[in-house]
Amino acid sequence: MSRIRTAFATGAVAALAFAALPASATGAPSAPETASPETTVQESEQTSPAKDRRQLQAWAADTWRSFEAMVDEETGLPDDNIGGDLDPASRGGYTSPTNIGAYLWSTVVARDLGLISRREARGRMATTLDTVAGLEKHEPSGMFYNWYDPATGAKLLTFPTSGDPVKPFLSSVDNGWLATGLLLASRAEPSLARAADAVREDMDFGCYYDPAQNQIRGGFWDVDPQETAPVAGDYCEMGADVWYTGHHYGAFNTEPRIASYLGIAEGQIPAEHYFGTYRTFPDTCDWSWTETRPVGQWAEHLGVPVFEGALPYRGMRVVPTWGGSMFEALMVPLFVPEETWGPRSWGRNHPLYVRGQIEHGMREADYGYWGFSPSNDPAGGYREYGVDQLGLDGPGYTSDQERTAVDQPYEGCREGSPAPTEYGDGVVTPHASFLALRYAHGDAMANLRNIAADFDAYGPGGFYDAVAVRSGQVSQRYLSLDQGMIMAALGNELADDAMRRYVSRGALEREVRPLMAMETFAVGWDR
C-alpha cells in the first residue's frame, strides 16, 4: 500500500487502514442527473428484469457459499480470505472488525433471500455476537483491535502469514463497519437486539473526533507504537492518552464517513463535523499537489465554511474520492440512502461517479471492462486500484498493473504532463460492479456477465476477487470485505433495499438526513 501523503489525506482500504498490516501479508437546485447518452455502454445481449433477477439470485447463493467456508463454526468469526476452492485449509488465519460486520449483514441477506432459514441465521449470528462480546478490546472507548485469530478470538500480536509483529491498532473505519453490522443485526433479528446493542452502545466514535480539526483520526494505538507520526491525546475523556494516527480522514467522499455518520447519530460527534471534511481542496496554489484545479464556490453550513468543489473529468464535474476507487464512494450508500437524503448532493454525484468509472474502462483506457477498486492483486498480494482522475490525491490509485498515472496540470500553479496514449493490464474487481447496480443497472449486469464469460473468473463461491483483463490473470481468492459488499448490494437489489431499511431508520435519519439536504454539489455535465 502506498503511504498517505499529508495530514489531510484519507486512506481507502478499510481492512488495511493504518492497521499495522505487515508488508509481507497477503472507508436553483436541479433533480439528480443521469448518464449522458453519449457515454452509455450497450449491453452485450438482450436481458429482462426477470432474467436479471434469476442471475442475481444465483450469484447471491454462490457468494454466500464463500462465507459458509470462511467462518469458523466454533467462534462464528469469518476469516479475512480463503482460496478459490473454498478449502478451509486455505483460510488466511486472521480477521478484522470489518470482516465481522460483513459476515453479520451477509447472514441477514442470506436469510432474507431464502438461502438459509431464520433459525440458522439466528444461530449463526448468536454465535458471532457471543464471541464478539468476549473479544479483547480497548475498554475506555469500546473499540476493537484490527486483527484477531478467527479460530480463538485472540488479539493478534504476530501476523500468521508472515510472523511479523503486529502493533495492536484501533481503526475508526473498521470499527464503523463492525458497528454497522451490529446495528443491522439488532434491527433484523429482534431476539438478538440486546446482545448486539450491548456491544455497539459501548462504542464511542467521539474518541476519534479531533475538535481542533473538525475531523476524525484514522485511529489510535493504546500502547505507544514508538513511531514519529502518532500524536498523543484523549478526545473523549478516556482517562489516559492514546496515540492517534498523524493523519485525519480529511476527504469527504470516502468510506470512513460511515464512522462519522454513526458518531453524529449517537450524539458522540457534533453535526458540524459533516461539513468539516473536503469535497475538494480549495482552488488555490496551496493545494496544487492534488489532482487538478477544482471548480466550485464557498458556502457556509452550521457556521462551517465549505468549499463546494468538484473535479473535471471527461465532460463531467464530480466530487472525487481520495484515490478514485469505487468502494470509497459507494460502500456507504449500501446502508445509508445518501442520494435520497441529499438529492442535490449525493443524488447527483453517485451516478456521475459510476459513469466516470465506466468511461475510463470502456473508452479512455479501452479495456472493454470496468470497475476499479482495492482488491487482491492477480499477480499476488493486495493492492489499491482506481481511476486516477476521480481521486483527490495527485498520484491517485491507478487502474492497471503498470500504474499508468495521469499528471494533469493545475491551472495557474503547475504544469502537467501529456496524457497517456495507452494503458496496460487493467485490473477490474467484480465487487465494484455490484456497488454500481443501483446507479447503472444495465451496464453493471453486462459487465459482470462479460467478466464471467470471458475469463476464468467465477468459482464455487461466486466471482473471484479480481481479473487482469489483458493478461487474463485472475486472483482466485475470496475476501470477506469484498464478498460482504456484494452480499449487501444483492440484499438491497433483491429484498427491497433491506440493508438500508435496517440501518438508516431512527437516529441516523433524524440526525444525518437534514445535513445532507442542506448542500448542493458543484457537479454535473459540461454540455
Side-chain angles (χ1 to χ4, degrees):
M1 288 291 294
S2 59
R3 285 291 181 184
I4 302 304
R5 292 187 56 191
T6 75
F8 299 100
T10 178
V13 185
L16 301 180
F18 278 86
L21 178 67
S24 55
T26 339
S30 59
E33 299 194 28
T34 56
S36 168
E38 299 89 38
T39 60
T40 299
V41 179
Q42 297 299 316
E43 294 188 53
S44 60
E45 58 180 273
Q46 292 295 317
T47 63
S48 68
K51 182 177 180 180
D52 284 356
R53 188 173 183 87
R54 289 193 297 272
Q55 180 67 82
L56 292 169
Q57 288 172 328
W59 287 339
D62 289 340
T63 304
W64 170 245
R65 192 171 294 117
S66 72
F67 271 107
E68 292 179 314
M70 281 188 281
V71 172
D72 185 281
E73 292 185 2
E74 296 297 320
T75 65
L77 299 182
D79 208 292
D80 180 85
N81 63 86
I82 194 169
D85 59 0
L86 301 184
D87 182 350
S90 66
R91 293 173 181 166
Y94 54 96
T95 195
S96 73
T98 292
N99 296 333
I100 298 168
Y103 174 59
L104 287 171
W105 71 62
S106 296
T107 302
V108 172
V109 173
R111 181 202 70 180
D112 289 354
L113 299 186
L115 303 176
I116 59 175
S117 69
R118 297 190 69 88
R119 181 178 181 180
E120 180 179 345
R122 187 164 53 247
R124 283 177 173 273
M125 290 190 287
T127 300
T128 303
L129 292 171
D130 184 61
T131 298
V132 170
L135 293 177
E136 182 180 352
K137 64 181 180 180
H138 181 248
E139 295 292 342
S141 66
M143 295 297 171
F144 291 83
Y145 297 96
N146 248 42
W147 303 113
Y148 294 92
D149 183 334
T152 66
K155 180 178 71 175
L156 288 181
L157 300 176
T158 303
F159 216 76
T161 57
S162 64
D164 293 341
V166 173
K167 297 178 181 180
F169 180 76
L170 302 104
S171 160
S172 53
V173 63
D174 281 278
N175 275 285
W177 291 122
L178 173 58
T180 300
L182 292 167
L183 178 61
L184 190 147
S186 173
R187 294 318 187 24
E189 183 48 70
S191 68
L192 300 177
R194 179 174 296 182
D197 290 344
V199 177
R200 183 182 58 81
E201 291 173 358
D202 199 37
M203 302 172 76
D204 186 352
F205 287 93
C207 296
Y208 296 112
Y209 173 70
D210 180 358
Q213 292 293 330
N214 198 18
Q215 297 174 357
I216 62 172
R217 296 275 187 177
F220 61 81
W221 296 264
D222 58 349
V223 175
D224 187 351
Q226 300 295 314
E227 298 174 6
T228 58
V231 177
D234 178 0
Y235 295 148
C236 62
E237 299 182 357
M238 291 180 280
D241 280 355
V242 295
W243 287 264
Y244 290 102
T245 55
H247 80 289
H248 298 81
Y249 282 131
F252 181 53
N253 187 14
T254 50
E255 47 97 28
R257 66 187 183 274
I258 192 64
S260 299
Y261 293 172
L262 293 168
I264 292 171
E266 293 296 324
Q268 299 162 348
I269 297 175
E272 301 91 273
H273 166 59
Y274 184 84
F275 301 105
T277 50
Y278 293 94
R279 282 65 181 152
T280 66
F281 296 121
D283 59 344
T284 72
C285 290
D286 291 339
W287 303 95
S288 62
W289 56 270
T290 59
E291 186 64 33
T292 191
R293 183 181 285 278
V295 297
Q297 60 187 11
W298 285 92
E300 185 173 299
H301 301 287
L302 301 183
V304 180
V306 180
F307 183 71
E308 294 180 334
L311 295 187
Y313 176 60
R314 295 178 69 85
M316 294 171 273
R317 287 169 279 113
V318 181
V319 173
T321 59
W322 173 249
S325 71
M326 193 73 94
F327 102 123
E328 294 175 279
L330 296 182
M331 187 174 176
V332 173
L334 292 173
F335 305 96
V336 181
E338 292 175 316
E339 76 280 351
T340 300
W341 293 359
R344 298 173 301 173
S345 53
W346 298 114
R348 301 168 71 184
N349 201 67
H350 287 333
L352 284 167
Y353 194 90
V354 171
R355 189 53 48 187
Q357 285 247 339
I358 296 172
E359 176 72 12
H360 177 73
M362 301 301 289
R363 299 186 186 277
E364 183 177 39
D366 194 26
Y367 295 135
Y369 311 86
W370 57 274
F372 310 97
S373 196
S375 66
N376 257 27
D377 184 342
Y382 188 90
R383 223 199 84 182
E384 75 289 354
Y385 297 96
V387 179
D388 181 11
Q389 304 96 302
L390 292 177
L392 274 174
D393 188 29
Y397 301 162
T398 55
S399 63
D400 62 7
Q401 297 291 53
E402 293 77 7
R403 297 186 183 268
T404 303
V406 180
D407 178 22
Q408 299 185 81
Y410 196 107
E411 183 182 354
C413 304
R414 63 168 170 79
E415 296 181 355
S417 301
T421 57
E422 61 181 8
Y423 286 79
D425 198 8
V427 175
V428 298
T429 179
H431 79 252
S433 291
F434 283 97
L435 291 175
L437 269 174
R438 181 184 302 274
Y439 311 101
H441 180 94
D443 293 329
M445 292 298 297
N447 196 46
L448 288 165
R449 285 182 168 123
N450 289 339
I451 290 170
D454 297 346
F455 304 97
D456 184 16
Y458 199 90
F463 283 94
Y464 293 129
D465 202 54
V467 179
V469 298
R470 290 191 171 143
S471 66
Q473 192 171 21
V474 177
S475 173
Q476 294 191 349
R477 291 196 76 79
Y478 298 109
L479 276 61
S480 287
L481 168 59
D482 297 355
Q483 298 295 85
M485 285 187 275
I486 292 171
M487 288 296 290
L490 290 168
N492 284 326
E493 187 74 20
L494 297 173
D496 192 27
D497 270 350
M499 300 293 98
R500 288 180 162 192
R501 287 187 286 107
Y502 293 133
V503 171
S504 64
R505 67 176 187 256
L508 194 65
E509 180 170 16
R510 184 172 61 251
E511 301 299 329
V512 177
R513 183 172 188 166
L515 304 175
M516 294 184 184
M518 292 181 188
E519 191 172 8
T520 300
F521 287 173
V523 302
W525 291 96
D526 295 323
R527 302 187 194 276

